[in-house]
Amino acid sequence: MTLNLEVLSRFQDAADANHLLYTPIPDALKSNHSRVYTVECEGDIEAARAYMLRVLVDPISQAVVEDGTPALEGALFTIDYGMKPGSLDLEKEAILTNYRGQKNLPFSITSLKITQRIYIFGEGDRDKLAARFTKDICNPAIHYWTVA
């Protein structure tokens, strides 16, 4: 069974997207971001969901979308990127270490994938802008990414 959890700040508004680039662009673009956790598990899916929400989400400052659809609407494009297999992912290791330290859980995590999602809002040449942002954000040696 698969859980899809997109976690984002309740208090963060879209900001100038130039902070993501090495050199600014003249386009008036805004950006926002979230984390997407894809958890493959076996056993009691509701117990796994409750555990992941408890571990990943601060209910005061964060919101979570669980249906697999993007949490924010109206983006010119999104960039989803994460660590390639074999690359050191400290957040993933911390989550799995916590999970392994629990006793008698009625489920097992078989796979955990963490993806950063960047939303870019505004107008412009989508493909050209996506290529520029991807070049400055993603390191091909350690990241995989998709643009949607």
Side-chain angles (χ1 to χ4, degrees), residues 70-133:
L72 302 174
E73 296 178 353
L76 178 62
F77 62 90
T78 60
I79 300 171
D80 287 0
Y81 71 99
M83 302 299 285
K84 284 183 176 179
S87 297
L88 180 60
D89 186 335
L90 295 175
E91 181 183 15
K92 179 178 177 178
E93 291 305 315
I95 293 166
L96 292 175
T97 298
N98 179 288
Y99 160 74
R100 289 180 195 117
Q102 304 298 309
K103 302 293 183 215
N104 301 318
L105 292 174
F107 65 91
S108 60
I109 295 175
T110 58
S111 174
L112 171 62
K113 181 179 173 185
I114 303 172
T115 306
Q116 311 298 319
R117 178 169 288 160
I118 297 177
Y119 294 87
I120 303 295
F121 301 97
E123 296 181 10
D125 183 332
R126 180 191 180 283
D127 293 336
K128 182 179 173 185
L129 289 166
R132 171 69 189 280
F133 277 87

Side-chain angles (χ1 to χ4, degrees), residues 35-52:
R35 276 189 168 73
V36 179
Y37 300 88
T38 305
V39 185
E40 298 288 335
C41 52
E42 296 175 348
D44 186 340
I45 191 75
E46 283 307 312
R49 178 184 171 276
Y51 173 79
M52 295 308 293

